[in-house]
Amino acid sequence: MIHDKLKYNFEIIPGELTAFEKKLLKLEQIRYIENPKRFYRESAYLKRVDGKISYYYLFSQIKSNNFNRGSDYLTHGLDFYRGSFHAQMVRGLINYCNLKDTSIILDPFCGSGTTLVEATLLGFDSIGIDINPIACLNSIIKTKLLKYNDAISRRTLEYDLTYFNNEDFANQKYKVILKKDFEYLLGLFIYTRILSMEKRLNMKKETAYKIFLDKLNFILKKYNFLKKKIEFNEGESKILFNDNLTQIKNYPNSSIDAIITSPPYLNLIDYIEEDITKIKYLFNKREIQQLKTQSIGNRILNNQNSHIDYWNKMIKLITELYRVLKKNKFLVFIIGNYGNMRSKYLSHFESSGFNIERILKRKIVNLKKKDNVEYVFFLKK
DNA sequence: CTGGTACTCATAGCTTACTG
DNA sequence: CAGTAAGCTATGAGTACCAG
């Protein structure tokens, strides 16, 4: 399992690696044959390299909840979002792409921003696009918080609970809101999160506010302390609230170094309903309906045209992804084992010009959904 | 109008038999 | 033996309907 050309010792993170992780670790190591000094900074699966503790291991220790979910470290665990990536896997996938320091990573369905957070932690600049406003808000907060040096208190928050807990707020337009400054968005993120906690956990707003602020500050304090001790540069991320096809058209040919993404699966999840408490706070009924119909693959019952619409848009998107990607670079595309979706995607990748370099099968460890698998396509331009 | 119930419909499903 | 196709269970959310 250890790559022959790697002459140094390393220790794998505690717990057994899955077959998929073992395979990805081996592939990841290809990146470090020429540059072994950086292995401890970037690997997703190692605890130590030549005695040095890895950055991933240090990051993974900074978590504020009791769940023992490996993905919830740093800002990853700050939101609930259905269908989000396993953070550690994304780290491994980015390493597989073998990027230079100045590279730009794109995720056209960025969702809650797992790819963007890992890109930031690995020092790469990233672009995330999503048509779901809550997903965009999550992504903005989770990436920008990594650069926030202060503790968050009621005094430092320019916009407090009372500002957002106000009926006048509902009259504002969301597109305008997303362009406001970070302080404002952080206040909005915290407030809408509290609305969910109030509903889901039956908490009082004041209690939820205190708990969540404590959680945020716990993470920030530990992370900022760690940053003073270790040497690394965070990347910059840009999050665009828009239809990805419209947005990608603005990017020139061969301008992106890696694309790592997973599309919504046709008609399986209603992403708007998943966040309905937050959505209802920000939008009226007509706007909510509009969000649902605009989102590609979003579950809408009894929609006969959804198949045609989905594939039409997806074919155009794959063509655009090919255009903006640099030659010999990777599109890493992750889909579940759902109907004939896999074979359809494969044929569209091939007809768009991509070379299918590798397909990895990953079992999703979940008690409810045993034997559920997803496929990771490595597609080379 | 409200709350309860039966019915409908689809499933980031489940199992098995078959095929190359 | 791995991948696939077809027929399968069981869960859960939406909806129509009815009684009060």
Side-chain angles (χ1 to χ4, degrees):
Chain A
M1 149 167 191
I2 297 167
H3 203 284
D4 306 338
K5 291 183 183 174
L6 293 171
K7 300 290 184 199
Y8 46 90
N9 299 316
F10 55 77
E11 184 187 328
I12 290 162
I13 51 169
E16 183 71 17
L17 295 185
T18 64
F20 171 82
E21 288 170 335
K22 284 177 186 168
K23 217 179 258 180
L24 199 56
L25 172 60
K26 192 165 183 179
L27 294 169
E28 193 188 47
Q29 290 171 358
I30 295 164
R31 170 164 168 77
Y32 301 100
I33 294 168
E34 302 295 327
N35 201 355
K37 280 184 184 173
R38 289 169 54 167
F39 205 5
Y40 75 97
R41 286 203 211 171
E42 294 169 16
S43 173
Y45 299 107
L46 301 183
K47 183 177 174 181
R48 282 175 220 267
V49 180
D50 279 342
K52 266 192 160 175
I53 298 264
S54 76
Y55 283 14
Y56 167 75
Y57 188 74
L58 292 170
F59 293 152
S60 70
Q61 300 307 103
I62 305 178
K63 51 175 84 182
S64 61
N65 57 30
N66 304 320
F67 305 118
N68 195 22
R69 277 174 53 195
S71 291
D72 280 358
Y73 59 88
L74 291 181
T75 57
H76 282 304
L78 290 181
D79 60 342
F80 301 113
Y81 192 79
R82 210 172 149 194
S84 62
F85 277 145
H86 194 268
Q88 193 179 335
M89 174 183 81
V90 175
R91 199 173 172 87
L93 297 178
I94 294 175
N95 287 333
Y96 181 90
C97 291
N98 201 14
L99 301 172
K100 287 178 188 159
D101 288 350
T102 52
S103 296
I104 299 172
I105 299 171
L106 167 70
D107 184 349
F109 298 103
C110 73
S112 66
T114 306
T115 306
L116 310 173
V117 170
E118 282 306 316
T120 306
L121 290 172
L122 286 166
F124 298 115
D125 290 347
S126 56
I127 301 160
I129 312 171
D130 211 295
I131 200 161
N132 181 337
I134 299 298
C136 286
L137 181 62
N138 290 346
S139 290
I140 291 169
I141 298 304
K142 284 162 72 180
T143 49
K144 301 282 189 272
L145 261 185
L146 295 171
K147 310 198 166 200
Y148 199 78
N149 295 318
D150 306 321
I152 300 163
S153 69
R154 294 195 159 205
R155 202 173 294 170
T156 57
L157 272 181
E158 193 181 336
Y159 304 96
D160 200 355
L161 200 60
T162 46
Y163 177 82
F164 292 104
N165 195 14
N166 181 338
E167 283 186 13
D168 289 344
F169 181 80
N171 297 323
Q172 303 188 41
K173 285 277 169 262
Y174 199 76
K175 283 211 179 192
V176 178
I177 293 166
L178 272 186
K179 283 178 181 154
K180 300 232 179 189
D181 58 41
F182 178 72
E183 282 280 339
Y184 185 96
L185 294 179
L186 182 58
L188 180 62
F189 176 77
I190 293 170
Y191 184 71
T192 51
R193 168 60 190 240
I194 285 162
L195 286 182
S196 296
M197 287 169 87
E198 190 186 26
K199 184 120 184 172
R200 287 171 69 141
L201 308 171
N202 200 22
M203 265 180 195
K204 283 183 177 171
K205 275 202 185 73
E206 283 293 330
T207 319
Y209 193 68
K210 193 185 175 305
I211 289 172
F212 195 56
L213 274 194
D214 285 350
K215 182 173 173 169
L216 279 174
N217 282 322
F218 177 84
I219 291 164
L220 285 178
K221 192 180 166 188
K222 290 213 159 190
Y223 181 60
N224 284 317
F225 182 72
L226 177 65
K227 277 202 282 187
K228 284 175 192 162
K229 300 206 151 191
I230 61 176
E231 180 198 326
F232 86 114
N233 299 313
E234 291 155 324
E236 293 288 336
S237 65
K238 192 154 97 180
I239 288 102
L240 305 161
F241 170 46
N242 209 334
D243 164 47
N244 52 25
L245 203 54
T246 318
Q247 203 61 48
I248 289 170
K249 285 206 177 350
N250 298 329
Y251 285 88
N253 295 351
S254 309
S255 57
I256 302 290
D257 301 274
I259 303 168
I260 297 171
T261 199
S262 178
Y265 303 170
L266 178 58
N267 286 349
L268 266 166
I269 296 174
D270 189 331
Y271 290 90
I272 305 300
E273 285 300 325
E274 287 290 319
D275 273 318
I276 198 67
T277 314
K278 295 176 180 180
I279 294 274
K280 273 184 177 168
Y281 172 69
L282 293 162
F283 299 95
N284 64 35
K285 276 191 178 178
R286 191 185 52 82
E287 289 168 327
I288 293 172
Q289 201 50 41
Q290 215 174 354
L291 282 172
K292 285 189 184 185
T293 50
Q294 280 171 354
S295 311
I296 184 169
N298 200 65
R299 185 177 174 186
I300 299 162
L301 288 171
N302 305 320
N303 186 347
Q304 298 297 317
N305 294 322
S306 59
H307 269 83
I308 301 160
D309 206 43
Y310 181 83
W311 288 110
N312 277 345
K313 282 184 180 167
M314 210 52 89
I315 291 163
K316 280 183 193 163
L317 180 67
I318 292 167
T319 312
E320 279 296 284
L321 294 180
Y322 186 86
R323 183 184 66 76
V324 296
L325 192 64
K326 287 180 186 169
K327 183 83 183 154
N328 293 323
K329 298 290 182 183
F330 286 102
L331 161 63
V332 183
F333 204 88
I334 296 131
I335 59 164
N337 185 21
Y338 179 56
N340 61 356
M341 213 171 56
R342 190 156 51 105
S343 56
K344 273 205 169 186
Y345 268 113
L346 266 174
S347 70
H348 292 317
F349 290 139
E350 281 182 321
S351 53
S352 302
F354 281 109
N355 289 316
I356 297 153
E357 194 186 86
R358 193 185 297 278
I359 300 169
L360 294 186
K361 193 170 159 182
R362 173 178 179 255
K363 281 201 173 179
I364 300 164
V365 186
N366 186 327
L367 288 173
K368 276 187 178 177
K369 291 173 253 158
K370 55 180 178 176
D371 296 335
N372 192 15
V373 289
E374 60 187 13
Y375 292 85
V376 182
F377 293 99
F378 293 92
L379 306 152
K380 203 170 192 176
K381 179 169 171 181

Coordinates of all heavy atoms in Angstrom, one line a residue, chain A residues 265 268 271 338 368-369 372, chain B residues 9-15:
Chain A
Y265 N -29.0 15.1 -7.8 CA -29.6 13.9 -8.5 C -31.0 14.3 -8.9 O -31.7 14.8 -8.0 CB -29.5 12.7 -7.7 CG -28.1 12.3 -7.3 CD1 -27.9 11.3 -6.3 CD2 -27.0 13.0 -7.7 CE1 -26.6 10.9 -5.9 CE2 -25.7 12.6 -7.3 CZ -25.6 11.6 -6.4 OH -24.3 11.3 -6.0
L268 N -34.5 13.9 -6.6 CA -34.4 13.2 -5.4 C -34.6 14.0 -4.2 O -35.2 13.6 -3.2 CB -33.1 12.4 -5.4 CG -33.3 11.0 -5.9 CD1 -32.0 10.4 -6.2 CD2 -34.1 10.2 -4.9
Y271 N -34.2 20.6 -2.3 CA -33.2 21.4 -1.5 C -33.8 22.6 -0.8 O -33.3 23.0 0.3 CB -32.0 21.8 -2.3 CG -31.1 20.6 -2.8 CD1 -31.4 19.9 -3.9 CD2 -30.1 20.2 -2.0 CE1 -30.6 18.8 -4.3 CE2 -29.3 19.1 -2.3 CZ -29.6 18.4 -3.5 OH -28.8 17.3 -3.9
Y338 N -27.6 5.6 -9.0 CA -29.0 5.9 -9.1 C -29.5 5.8 -10.5 O -29.2 6.5 -11.4 CB -29.2 7.3 -8.5 CG -30.7 7.8 -8.6 CD1 -31.7 7.1 -7.9 CD2 -31.0 9.0 -9.2 CE1 -33.0 7.5 -8.0 CE2 -32.3 9.4 -9.3 CZ -33.3 8.7 -8.6 OH -34.6 9.1 -8.7
K368 N -28.5 3.4 7.9 CA -29.8 3.4 7.2 C -29.7 2.9 5.8 O -30.6 2.2 5.2 CB -30.5 4.7 7.2 CG -31.3 5.0 8.5 CD -32.0 6.3 8.3 CE -32.9 6.5 9.6 NZ -33.6 7.8 9.5
K369 N -28.6 3.3 5.1 CA -28.4 3.0 3.7 C -27.2 2.1 3.5 O -26.2 2.5 2.9 CB -28.3 4.3 2.9 CG -29.5 5.1 2.9 CD -29.1 6.5 2.2 CE -29.1 7.6 3.3 NZ -28.3 8.7 2.8
N372 N -24.9 1.3 0.1 CA -25.1 2.5 -0.8 C -23.7 2.9 -1.3 O -22.8 3.0 -0.6 CB -25.8 3.6 -0.1 CG -26.2 4.7 -1.0 OD1 -26.3 4.5 -2.2 ND2 -26.5 5.8 -0.4
Chain B
dC9 P -51.4 7.8 -7.5 OP1 -52.0 8.7 -8.6 OP2 -51.4 6.3 -7.6 O5' -49.8 8.2 -7.4 C5' -49.5 9.5 -6.8 C4' -48.1 9.4 -6.3 O4' -48.0 8.9 -4.9 C3' -47.1 8.5 -7.1 O3' -46.0 9.3 -7.5 C2' -46.8 7.4 -6.2 C1' -46.9 8.1 -4.8 N1 -47.1 7.1 -3.7 C2 -46.5 7.4 -2.5 O2 -45.8 8.5 -2.4 N3 -46.7 6.6 -1.4 C4 -47.4 5.5 -1.6 N4 -47.5 4.7 -0.5 C5 -48.0 5.2 -2.8 C6 -47.8 6.0 -3.8
dA10 P -45.2 8.9 -8.8 OP1 -45.4 10.0 -9.8 OP2 -45.4 7.5 -9.2 O5' -43.7 9.0 -8.3 C5' -43.3 10.2 -7.5 C4' -42.3 9.8 -6.5 O4' -42.8 9.1 -5.5 C3' -41.1 9.0 -7.1 O3' -39.9 9.5 -6.8 C2' -41.4 7.6 -6.5 C1' -42.0 8.0 -5.1 N9 -42.7 6.9 -4.5 C8 -43.6 6.1 -5.1 N7 -44.1 5.2 -4.3 C5 -43.5 5.5 -3.1 C6 -43.6 4.9 -1.8 N6 -44.4 3.9 -1.5 N1 -42.9 5.4 -0.8 C2 -42.1 6.5 -1.1 N3 -41.9 7.1 -2.2 C4 -42.7 6.6 -3.2
dT11 P -38.5 8.9 -7.2 OP1 -37.7 10.0 -7.7 OP2 -38.8 7.7 -8.1 O5' -37.8 8.4 -5.9 C5' -37.5 9.3 -4.9 C4' -37.2 8.6 -3.6 O4' -38.3 7.7 -3.3 C3' -35.9 7.8 -3.6 O3' -35.3 7.9 -2.4 C2' -36.4 6.4 -3.8 C1' -37.7 6.4 -3.0 N1 -38.7 5.4 -3.3 C2 -39.2 4.6 -2.3 O2 -38.8 4.7 -1.2 N3 -40.2 3.7 -2.7 C4 -40.7 3.6 -4.0 O4 -41.5 2.7 -4.2 C5 -40.1 4.4 -5.0 C7 -40.6 4.3 -6.4 C6 -39.2 5.3 -4.6
dA12 P -34.2 8.5 -1.8 OP1 -33.9 7.7 -0.6 OP2 -34.6 9.9 -1.8 O5' -33.0 8.3 -2.7 C5' -32.1 9.3 -2.9 C4' -30.8 8.8 -3.3 O4' -29.9 9.9 -3.7 C3' -30.1 8.0 -2.2 O3' -29.5 6.8 -2.8 C2' -29.0 8.9 -1.7 C1' -28.7 9.8 -3.0 N9 -28.3 11.1 -2.7 C8 -28.5 11.8 -1.6 N7 -27.9 13.0 -1.7 C5 -27.4 13.1 -2.9 C6 -26.6 14.0 -3.6 N6 -26.3 15.2 -3.1 N1 -26.2 13.7 -4.8 C2 -26.5 12.6 -5.3 N3 -27.2 11.6 -4.8 C4 -27.6 11.9 -3.6
dG13 P -29.3 5.5 -1.7 OP1 -28.5 5.8 -0.6 OP2 -29.0 4.4 -2.6 O5' -30.8 5.4 -1.2 C5' -31.8 4.9 -2.0 C4' -32.6 3.9 -1.2 O4' -33.8 3.5 -1.9 C3' -31.8 2.6 -0.9 O3' -32.2 2.0 0.3 C2' -32.3 1.7 -2.0 C1' -33.8 2.1 -2.1 N9 -34.4 1.9 -3.4 C8 -34.2 2.6 -4.6 N7 -34.9 2.2 -5.6 C5 -35.6 1.0 -5.1 C6 -36.4 0.1 -5.7 O6 -36.8 0.1 -6.9 N1 -36.8 -0.9 -4.8 C2 -36.5 -1.0 -3.5 N2 -37.0 -2.0 -2.8 N3 -35.7 -0.1 -2.9 C4 -35.2 0.9 -3.7
dC14 P -31.4 0.7 0.9 OP1 -31.6 0.7 2.4 OP2 -30.1 0.8 0.4 O5' -32.1 -0.5 0.3 C5' -33.3 -1.1 1.0 C4' -33.5 -2.5 0.5 O4' -34.0 -2.5 -0.8 C3' -32.3 -3.4 0.6 O3' -32.7 -4.6 1.2 C2' -31.9 -3.6 -0.9 C1' -33.3 -3.5 -1.6 N1 -33.3 -2.9 -3.0 C2 -34.0 -3.6 -4.0 O2 -34.6 -4.6 -3.7 N3 -34.0 -3.0 -5.2 C4 -33.3 -1.9 -5.5 N4 -33.4 -1.4 -6.7 C5 -32.6 -1.2 -4.5 C6 -32.6 -1.7 -3.2
dT15 P -31.7 -5.9 1.4 OP1 -32.1 -6.6 2.6 OP2 -30.4 -5.4 1.2 O5' -32.2 -6.8 0.2 C5' -33.5 -7.2 0.1 C4' -33.7 -8.2 -1.0 O4' -33.7 -7.5 -2.3 C3' -32.5 -9.3 -1.1 O3' -33.1 -10.5 -1.2 C2' -31.7 -8.9 -2.3 C1' -32.8 -8.2 -3.2 N1 -32.3 -7.2 -4.1 C2 -32.8 -7.1 -5.4 O2 -33.6 -7.9 -5.8 N3 -32.3 -6.1 -6.2 C4 -31.3 -5.2 -5.8 O4 -31.0 -4.3 -6.6 C5 -30.8 -5.3 -4.5 C7 -29.8 -4.3 -4.0 C6 -31.3 -6.3 -3.7

